[in-house]
Amino acid sequence: MAYSEFFNPELETLSRPQIEALQLQRLQDTVCRCMGSPFYKKRFDSIGLKPSDIRSLEDLRKIPFTTKQDLRDTYPFGIASLPLDKCVRLHSSSGTTGNPTVILHSARDLDQWANAVARCLWMVGCRPEDVFQNSSGYGMFTGGLGFQYGAEKLGMLTVPAAAGNTRRQIKFFTDFGTTVVHAIPSYAARLYEVMTDLGIDPRRDTRLRIFAIGAEPHSEEQRRRIEDMLGVKAYNSFGMSEMCGPGVAFECREQNGMHIWEDYYIVEIVDPDTLEPVPDGTVGELVLTTLNREAMPLLRYRTRDLTRIIPGDCPCGRKHRRLDRMRGRSDDMIILKGVNIFPIQIEQVLMQYPELASDYLITLETAEDNDTMTVEVEMKEQFIDDYALLQNMERNITARLRDEILITPKVCLKPFGSLERSEGKAVRVKDLRKKY
Ligand code: AMP
Ligand code: ZN
């Protein structure tokens, strides 16, 4: 059967002026809706701002930012714009400090969210004939239900396998003829490890062809590895609970940046210190305004994620702009001896060595009042006994890392399987430094 390239042809093929006209109309509706929110009503009143003051997209900048702290301070329902009896779902993310945050959804919100995820999956070639297995956590983690409803909306046969029980996952791949999988990148690598143990060759023994990978930072090198190991195309998927979950931005088949659906969100990239907008192409903090949510719209939400807009048009024809691969959250940045380092910079270097497996751990410690970094990384099984190779590689990796991050870490190559595996998003950094 011949399908269109687009899941929502009329919205995915809008021109820039059409996108911006739709955004203004939806922004004005959203701001009016926000007056049902005790939090936003008070905030607007306190600075004398009225919904009618928002007459152009530039006027967005009159609205103050919303922060994660605002979500915590108003926990659980203080930002909602609709009464609870109009809401049908709640997702909550547990922060490491303070109150967790809560996001509420109406039935329409859930339907629109499912549509966004379906649009993403369709864009990379998923069709109703596919069998979709969701190997990500369910429950409060939005990658579970978010992908479930999106894949169903697209019309695929969906298998809500959830994360873990890897042998059973693989049995499902072979028994059900799974063709599309959603998993966090660290788990995609694990699936391959266990397949190898079981003597299963993904190319020969499965019908796998597409992986949606996201929810945690990963490098281009990590993606290529997943593709090579599993014989699939792997597409970067970006989302966060505050913006529903998955479906915010997704790579198209070009694999060069993630289209952010601008009929759902207004994107700003700001300098995290001055909060002023930065030009396209410059890295800054991603700030998002929801345009298509009624239970709990968020205005100018500071995501803490650092990325940039990729300048220029995408050959796929969509004019929704592209976000570059996330550098990580500003809170993930390591500051060691005054140098700013993102874990992803270290991963980029490690993943260039074919002898290394995919798991690594960065430990920061204080030794004799001096802060140090140790990078432990697992070797692939066949290389660990070659002592000369190990020594040579440790030296070589140390030098490459020093060039990349400007400090000299201690590199330890470890036997395969010796680093602890986490159930959810991978833990890549342990900070044991003395705090003064
Ligand atoms: P959560 O709301 O718990 O699902 O976490 C959302 C956060 O996960 C985002 O703010 C990002 O920091 C991170 N994240 C989600 N998707 C990606 C991705 N594709 N690449 C890098 N980080 C991501
Ligand atoms: Zn594209």
Side-chain angles (χ1 to χ4, degrees), residues 289-354:
T289 297
T290 65
L291 293 176
N292 203 11
R293 270 217 324 225
E294 54 180 24
M296 195 166 155
L298 292 177
L299 303 175
R300 305 194 81 200
Y301 182 70
R302 288 188 60 185
T303 67
R304 304 270 168 196
D305 286 312
L306 299 174
T307 184
R308 63 181 192 119
I309 297 276
I310 298 185
D313 282 340
C314 183
C316 80
R318 292 172 182 84
K319 298 286 185 278
H320 298 255
R321 285 178 300 169
R322 289 165 297 160
L323 299 182
D324 202 353
R325 184 175 288 289
M326 298 292 142
R327 307 280 154 113
R329 291 181 93 108
S330 46
D331 349 355
D332 294 338
M333 189 173 74
I334 298 169
I335 305 181
L336 188 73
K337 300 181 183 187
V339 182
N340 299 349
I341 304 160
F342 283 100
I344 207 76
Q345 292 176 272
I346 295 176
E347 178 181 300
Q348 255 162 19
V349 171
L350 299 177
M351 294 300 129
Q352 285 169 21
Y353 290 85

Side-chain angles (χ1 to χ4, degrees), residues 216-235:
E216 63 184 12
H218 57 286
S219 55
E220 181 63 27
E221 289 74 11
Q222 175 83 308
R223 179 245 292 280
R224 293 294 167 214
R225 272 187 172 216
I226 290 169
E227 294 193 328
D228 291 347
M229 291 188 296
L230 294 165
V232 298
K233 280 280 180 198
Y235 296 97

Side-chain angles (χ1 to χ4, degrees), residues 161-233:
N165 204 340
T166 309
R167 284 171 181 252
R168 194 185 59 159
Q169 298 278 355
I170 294 166
K171 182 167 164 51
F172 288 169
F173 290 165
T174 52
D175 292 357
F176 304 153
T178 303
T179 52
V180 183
V181 175
H182 166 241
I184 58 176
S186 46
Y187 193 62
R190 184 94 54 258
L191 284 165
Y192 177 72
E193 285 171 13
V194 179
M195 277 192 215
T196 313
D197 284 350
L198 297 173
I200 290 178
D201 173 350
R203 287 183 173 75
R204 186 193 60 207
D205 303 322
T206 76
R207 296 177 57 219
L208 296 173
R209 63 185 197 93
I210 294 174
F211 263 60
I213 52 171
E216 63 184 12
H218 57 286
S219 55
E220 181 63 27
E221 289 74 11
Q222 175 83 308
R223 179 245 292 280
R224 293 294 167 214
R225 272 187 172 216
I226 290 169
E227 294 193 328
D228 291 347
M229 291 188 296
L230 294 165
V232 298
K233 280 280 180 198

Side-chain angles (χ1 to χ4, degrees), residues 80-285:
S81 292
L82 281 185
L84 284 188
D85 62 353
K86 298 275 188 309
C87 300
V88 298
R89 171 108 60 85
L90 174 159
H91 278 280
S92 171
S93 80
S94 55
T96 39
T97 50
N99 276 333
T101 55
V102 159
I103 301 292
L104 292 162
H105 303 274
S106 68
R108 181 181 183 281
D109 291 339
L110 292 183
D111 185 58
Q112 288 303 306
W113 177 14
N115 183 76
V117 175
R119 192 194 280 181
C120 294
L121 291 168
W122 188 277
M123 177 165 64
V124 297
C126 300
R127 295 296 179 264
E129 294 77 16
D130 278 299
V131 178
F132 175 86
Q133 186 163 325
N134 194 4
S135 306
S136 95
Y138 275 68
M140 286 299 189
F141 177 56
T142 53
L145 291 177
F147 268 98
Q148 178 71 32
Y149 281 70
E152 286 176 7
K153 181 141 205 125
L154 191 155
M156 291 186 281
L157 174 61
T158 63
V159 184
N165 204 340
T166 309
R167 284 171 181 252
R168 194 185 59 159
Q169 298 278 355
I170 294 166
K171 182 167 164 51
F172 288 169
F173 290 165
T174 52
D175 292 357
F176 304 153
T178 303
T179 52
V180 183
V181 175
H182 166 241
I184 58 176
S186 46
Y187 193 62
R190 184 94 54 258
L191 284 165
Y192 177 72
E193 285 171 13
V194 179
M195 277 192 215
T196 313
D197 284 350
L198 297 173
I200 290 178
D201 173 350
R203 287 183 173 75
R204 186 193 60 207
D205 303 322
T206 76
R207 296 177 57 219
L208 296 173
R209 63 185 197 93
I210 294 174
F211 263 60
I213 52 171
E216 63 184 12
H218 57 286
S219 55
E220 181 63 27
E221 289 74 11
Q222 175 83 308
R223 179 245 292 280
R224 293 294 167 214
R225 272 187 172 216
I226 290 169
E227 294 193 328
D228 291 347
M229 291 188 296
L230 294 165
V232 298
K233 280 280 180 198
Y235 296 97
N236 195 353
S237 154
F238 173 77
M240 68 179 64
S241 324
E242 298 92 316
M243 297 293 127
C244 288
V248 178
F250 211 90
E251 279 180 331
C252 67
R253 295 197 224 211
E254 300 292 325
Q255 294 187 312
N256 181 19
M258 300 175 283
H259 288 284
I260 174 147
W261 299 122
E262 292 186 86
D263 52 329
Y264 279 70
Y265 302 100
I266 295 181
V267 193
E268 297 171 87
I269 308 278
V270 302
D271 180 307
D273 297 320
T274 63
L275 301 181
E276 289 299 316
V278 300
D280 279 5
T282 305
V283 174
E285 179 177 339

